[in-house]
Amino acid sequence: MNSLKWSNSMLRNWLYTYRIHIIAWTVFIIWETLMVLYFAGILGTFGNYAIHYLINMTLFYTYPLLIEKATEFPSGAVWKVPLVVILAILAYLGIVTVVDILLNTYTNILPGKLPSFRIRISRVLYRGSFFLLFSTGYYFLKRFIKEKAEKSRIEKQRFQMLIDKEKMDKELAMSKNAFMKAQINPHLLFNTFEFVHQKLSTYSPEDAKVMLYLSDMMRFAANTQHNEGYVYLSEEIAQCENLIGLHRITQGAIYIELASGPDLDEIKLIPLVLLTILENMFKHGNLNDIENKATIDVYTFDDKLRIESRNLPRLVQSKVGFGSGMDNIRNRLKYAYHQNAEITAGIDEEGFYILSISISLNALIIESEDKKAEQTIPL
């Protein structure tokens, strides 16, 4: 029963897919049969029509496929296309001639005697040329529709890229705003931090460090507004260290290690990648287990920049922003570096949350130390 339903469903799908072809061939066969009957007074048998139209349809649909193969490489199309035409006509001529002889000899499908060989050849050549002409038009129509569809696809892809760019710009702006909520005059802000730091250092040196961390992080956030979408990786690593230090002061003992290679000073990366990873660790990770410290490693290997993090997840996950940070990083990396960036994340066999980012060094902006020094303008 299920097999019958599946067969009926397949038949309906096939009929729907090729409905235009079925209607066109039905109309053509009826029209041609009526024309022959009206002008010549000849009406063939059903078997005659079925066999010969099957051959004609085979020629009609096979010929465009052969032409498509022949024109796949333009350099050889000059001699391949005429060869395909000649071979198609010869094949059609041979098949129809042999079929007519067999039908006339062993069946009663063909009415009367066969005409002379010359007349038969002339009719078959005319008939073959007739269907080849329409088949050529069908080939160019298919090609036109395909090129139009490809052009439409490219336009949609270009439009989608513009939408993605706008989306990435908005997400970057949101990340920056989340990192620096208020736009306060930088000089006033940093002078205020310095004043508070001086006052606190006399009474509570530990609390005074908080102001140093905040001042450095806010300075980084302010500079990010004017860096044309990229920051030095070493600078963001320094801000991650500040953020870790700030959490250790405010939350007590947390166990997280940040390790970076010695060759990262000249590399520029889209901003807030490392900081978002670290922020997700603080939100969703268990950082209080001294036996299972969280780690972030940043280094270059095999012509790629690699960022890897590992931490135990909390038993009770925070629902605030869960997953949005990783989606933000994934989308921004895809837009900025396309296929040159790869990101994987998941829980390993030991229950640790593992994140791995790999970016080809060829896709990154790498500047010399001299140029970096020229572009560094203190606030």
Side-chain angles (χ1 to χ4, degrees):
M1 189 66 177
N2 292 333
S3 177
L4 181 60
K5 289 183 178 180
W6 180 82
S7 299
N8 291 335
S9 176
M10 290 289 292
L11 179 60
R12 286 195 298 270
N13 291 336
W14 184 86
L15 291 174
Y16 180 80
T17 302
Y18 297 101
R19 63 191 184 281
I20 297 177
H21 295 258
I22 296 171
I23 294 172
W25 278 107
T26 303
V27 171
F28 173 76
I29 293 172
I30 294 174
W31 172 82
E32 191 175 47
T33 301
L34 293 176
M35 289 299 101
V36 172
L37 179 62
Y38 179 78
F39 288 103
I42 299 174
L43 182 63
T45 62
F46 176 80
N48 182 23
Y49 286 131
I51 294 173
H52 284 86
Y53 274 113
L54 180 61
I55 297 174
N56 295 334
M57 290 179 186
T58 303
L59 173 67
F60 182 87
Y61 289 111
T62 304
Y63 178 72
L65 298 177
L66 298 176
I67 290 293
E68 186 175 353
K69 292 293 183 181
T71 56
E72 187 174 1
F73 300 100
S75 58
V78 176
W79 62 270
K80 287 182 180 179
V81 172
L83 180 61
V84 168
V85 174
I86 294 172
L87 291 177
I89 292 177
L90 291 177
Y92 181 78
L93 178 62
I95 293 172
V96 173
T97 301
V98 171
V99 168
D100 284 347
I101 293 174
L102 292 175
L103 292 178
N104 186 69
T105 304
Y106 298 104
T107 70
N108 296 321
I109 291 178
L110 294 181
K113 294 182 179 181
L114 290 177
S116 65
F117 181 75
R118 178 180 296 180
I119 295 176
R120 278 188 287 141
I121 295 298
S122 300
R123 289 180 179 177
V124 173
L125 287 177
Y126 168 77
R127 193 69 168 161
S129 301
F130 177 82
F131 282 102
L132 282 184
L133 179 63
F134 281 98
S135 183
T136 302
Y138 173 68
Y139 162 74
F140 282 109
L141 178 62
K142 280 184 60 179
R143 185 170 178 176
F144 171 76
I145 294 174
K146 183 178 180 180
E147 290 177 353
K148 187 177 180 180
E150 180 65 16
K151 183 178 180 181
S152 177
R153 186 191 66 81
I154 293 174
E155 290 295 330
K156 288 181 180 179
Q157 186 177 24
R158 186 179 302 170
F159 181 69
Q160 186 62 42
M161 289 178 63
L162 293 176
I163 294 177
D164 290 342
K165 181 180 185 301
E166 184 178 356
K167 182 180 178 181
M168 295 305 106
D169 291 341
K170 288 182 179 179
E171 289 184 350
L172 177 59
M174 291 174 61
S175 298
K176 290 178 179 179
N177 291 336
F179 193 71
M180 186 179 182
K181 291 289 185 181
Q183 292 295 321
I184 305 174
N185 184 286
H187 294 288
L188 174 62
L189 179 65
F190 299 136
N191 288 339
T192 303
F193 278 151
E194 178 62 24
F195 173 78
V196 175
H197 171 257
Q198 294 294 337
K199 290 294 184 180
L200 286 176
S201 60
T202 305
Y203 304 101
S204 178
E206 192 67 18
D207 292 339
K209 289 182 180 179
V210 174
M211 303 311 301
L212 288 179
Y213 291 143
L214 286 176
S215 177
D216 200 8
M217 292 169 66
M218 296 298 282
R219 190 184 303 274
F220 172 78
N223 287 336
T224 302
Q225 302 290 335
H226 309 286
N227 58 22
E228 299 180 353
Y230 296 91
V231 296
Y232 285 101
L233 187 57
S234 57
E235 294 179 358
E236 185 154 336
I237 291 174
Q239 300 316 309
C240 288
E241 294 172 344
N242 287 339
L243 187 59
I244 293 173
L246 185 62
H247 275 267
R248 281 177 175 157
I249 292 174
T250 58
Q251 297 182 12
I254 57 172
Y255 302 101
I256 181 170
E257 293 181 352
L258 174 60
S260 58
D263 52 350
L264 305 177
D265 291 343
E266 301 175 4
I267 296 178
K268 272 189 169 185
L269 186 69
I270 56 175
L272 305 179
V273 173
L274 289 177
L275 283 168
T276 302
I277 294 173
L278 186 59
E279 180 187 4
N280 269 22
M281 278 189 170
F282 287 126
K283 282 184 179 179
H284 310 296
N286 177 10
L287 308 181
N288 303 116
D289 189 342
I290 191 173
E291 300 295 330
N292 297 289
K293 296 181 179 179
T295 60
I296 300 179
D297 299 313
V298 188
Y299 61 96
T300 58
F301 177 74
D302 196 20
D303 294 327
K304 292 183 179 181
L305 171 67
R306 299 183 184 273
I307 301 173
E308 298 173 352
S309 70
R310 181 176 184 266
N311 64 275
L312 281 176
R314 289 183 182 180
L315 295 179
V316 179
Q317 286 291 340
S318 171
K319 299 298 182 181
V320 179
F322 183 72
S324 60
M326 289 301 100
D327 290 339
N328 180 287
I329 293 177
R330 183 177 287 104
N331 292 334
R332 292 175 58 215
L333 287 175
K334 180 181 179 181
Y335 176 77
Y337 305 112
H338 307 290
Q339 72 276 7
N340 294 305
E342 296 179 0
I343 178 171
T344 57
I347 305 295
D348 67 4
E349 296 178 353
E350 298 179 359
F352 284 86
Y353 178 79
I354 304 295
L355 173 68
S356 177
I357 297 175
S358 174
I359 307 173
S360 173
L361 291 179
N362 294 330
L364 296 171
I365 299 176
I366 302 179
E367 297 182 351
S368 64
E369 285 296 325
D370 294 338
K371 189 172 182 180
K372 178 179 177 181
E374 292 176 2
Q375 294 183 348
T376 303
I377 302 177
L379 290 172

